Amino acid sequence: MSDVVVIGGGQAGLAAGYFLRRAGLDFVILDDQEQPGGAWQHGWQSLRMFSPAQYSPLPGWSMPAQVGETFPTADHVVDYLQRYEERYELPMHRSVSVTSVRRENDRWIVDTDAGSLNASVVISATGTWQSPYLPYFPGQDTFTGRQLHTVDYDSPDMFAGRRVVVVGGGNSAAQILAEVSTVAETLWVTRRPPLFMPDEVDGRVLFDVATAREAARRSGRDHDGVAGLGDIVMVPPVQAARDHGVLDRSPMFDRLSPTGVSWNDGREHECDAIIWCTGFRPHLGHLSGLGLTRENGHPATDGTRSIDHPGLQLLGYGDWTGFASATIIGAARTAKPAVAEIGARMART
Ligand code: FAD
């Protein structure tokens, strides 16, 4: 029996662990991976952060700079997360998969493939990486080339000399397009015209905006007045792709054929592969038995707290659980008030 069970040992789960430890609460962190690092251990080979290390601090101990690199590699982030859990002696339980969460006699029962746990509060921090989103288009099953999602992409090598369509208007699409275009003929397809941040803006601005919003929230001011951000960070490879004319986008196609993609106006484009960088959905199958109220396609929350169950917190996932909550700085910022709320609740009960 624990006060709190945290499901997910990525950056969001670790940030929660830091504050739970500080609050003196009894807790465990369950993670279904064998190794530390959450989704950062699964990205493609060249994946890097879009800001220097010091702009992505988890609470208590900032990420050290990576020698010789301005933008840390994913391996460096994984190393940081591993050292972070060791430093704060977080009670990690690995290779434990949570299958369901349910209520019994005013307590939570967390069922896992290694048995069940009992808790007063559950924090779900399971990220999105395990729930890739693939839209459906007519003819999708007839395409004879290769189709893969961001989660399946590793490096551009396998596309050398091929014709590749990259779908999606976010950072994953822009970065994968940039490197595939160095070895293949590419076409970039997006639903809406992409929004690019200015060249001189990187994740540092995200840090500043998160800080300004947090200050506004604390002083009770309207934080919507604080500037929003574009979608695509112009990291050096993406700038190079733009300079080579690679970022010229086409509108979304209407269907697939055995040999490529086509539009309702009669335009056709032949290709050997389609990379779907079409994003992710919150990975929340373990909560499906709770019948949570949904809002805009995800469980309805007040901040990070489920509106259905005050003892259920959701951390990470996206802006619906707090500004930039799926980034490292955002994870830190949202975990703090969430744990403060849990502490107050535990004190009352
Ligand atoms: P995750 O890292 O996915 O951790 C969740 C953990 O829960 C995983 O270990 C998972 O296996 C586990 N889990 C899931 N389901 C269960 C279950 N049922 N039972 C037990 N365990 C479970 N962020 C930044 O801050 N800076 C950047 O520069 C940056 N760059 C990015 C660039 C790209 C191209 C992309 C795609 C993302 C980037 N991000 C960046 C975003 C962000 O840091 C990651 O998405 C991050 O991994 C989210 O952390 P998380 O803890 O919420 O989820």
Side-chain angles (χ1 to χ4, degrees):
M1 196 165 102
S2 302
D3 291 340
V4 184
V5 170
V6 181
I7 309 170
Q11 61 204 31
L14 300 193
Y18 172 89
F19 290 114
L20 289 165
R21 168 77 82 222
R22 255 196 5 180
L25 292 169
D26 171 40
F27 68 102
V28 292
I29 302 179
L30 310 178
D31 190 79
D32 61 4
Q33 305 292 300
E34 285 175 20
Q35 304 292 334
W40 284 102
Q41 59 192 305
H42 299 299
W44 54 95
Q45 281 181 28
S46 67
L47 178 61
R48 282 166 185 277
M49 299 194 68
F50 47 61
S51 48
Q54 69 268 30
Y55 288 87
S56 292
L58 282 176
W61 179 52
S62 289
M63 187 186 302
Q66 185 175 12
V67 178
E69 305 283 354
T70 305
F71 300 98
T73 59
D75 284 352
H76 184 75
V77 182
V78 169
D79 183 58
Y80 168 59
L81 297 179
Q82 173 164 10
R83 289 165 62 194
Y84 188 90
E85 11 176 291
E86 290 164 2
R87 183 183 183 104
Y88 294 108
E89 297 179 347
L90 298 178
M92 309 299 300
H93 296 257
R94 293 212 176 282
S95 302
V96 176
S97 179
V98 174
T99 49
S100 70
V101 172
R102 55 196 166 86
R103 295 290 286 167
E104 208 174 273
N105 302 328
D106 286 343
R107 300 277 300 173
W108 290 106
I109 308 294
V110 178
D111 296 314
T112 81
D113 57 2
S116 297
L117 288 87
N118 190 304
S120 304
V121 173
V122 166
I123 297 178
S124 184
T126 47
T128 59
W129 187 260
Q130 290 182 51
S131 292
Y133 172 68
L134 263 171
Y136 178 78
F137 285 87
Q140 202 142 353
D141 304 334
T142 67
F143 181 63
T144 53
R146 176 131 198 238
Q147 295 189 62
L148 61 164
H149 187 272
T150 311
V151 293
D152 311 308
Y153 176 80
D154 184 51
S155 82
D157 300 350
M158 73 174 73
F159 301 106
R162 304 278 174 178
R163 298 160 303 174
V164 181
V165 170
V166 178
V167 184
N171 282 295
S172 308
Q175 290 182 21
I176 289 174
L177 172 76
E179 70 174 13
V180 171
S181 71
T182 61
V183 300
E185 184 191 302
T186 53
L187 177 75
W188 190 23
V189 176
T190 69
R191 262 192 311 146
R192 285 184 294 272
L195 291 170
F196 300 102
M197 291 197 202
D199 281 10
E200 65 280 9
V201 167
D202 62 25
R204 279 172 266 223
V205 171
L206 186 68
F207 180 90
D208 293 342
V209 172
T211 305
R213 288 200 177 210
E214 177 65 10
R217 188 189 65 78
R218 278 199 200 155
S219 61
R221 281 182 287 121
D222 174 14
H223 52 74
D224 287 342
V226 179
L229 297 168
D231 288 340
I232 295 177
V233 184
M234 299 304 287
V235 290
V238 178
Q239 286 185 30
R242 180 201 52 209
D243 297 344
H244 290 109
V246 170
L247 300 191
D248 209 7
R249 65 59 89 162
S250 289
M252 202 61 222
F253 47 76
D254 296 299
R255 71 188 62 75
L256 281 76
S257 69
T259 55
V261 297
S262 61
W263 289 258
N264 283 341
D265 62 8
R267 190 176 151 216
E268 292 180 7
H269 180 86
E270 295 203 335
C271 60
D272 306 303
I274 301 173
I275 308 177
W276 298 91
C277 302
T278 39
F280 300 85
R281 295 289 181 261
H283 189 64
L284 292 173
H286 54 291
L287 302 182
S288 60
L290 295 174
L292 299 176
T293 304
R294 294 186 78 80
E295 198 175 68
N296 302 321
H298 52 71
T301 52
D302 181 0
T304 53
R305 182 179 12 94
S306 158
I307 63 157
D308 299 299
H309 298 283
L312 174 63
Q313 297 274 342
L314 294 109
L315 291 186
Y317 300 114
D319 283 357
W320 57 277
T321 58
F323 178 68
S325 66
T327 66
I328 295 177
I329 178 70
R333 293 263 155 83
T334 48
K336 190 176 182 182
V339 172
E341 210 174 283
I342 291 169
R345 182 180 162 75
M346 300 293 293
R348 281 199 304 275
T349 57

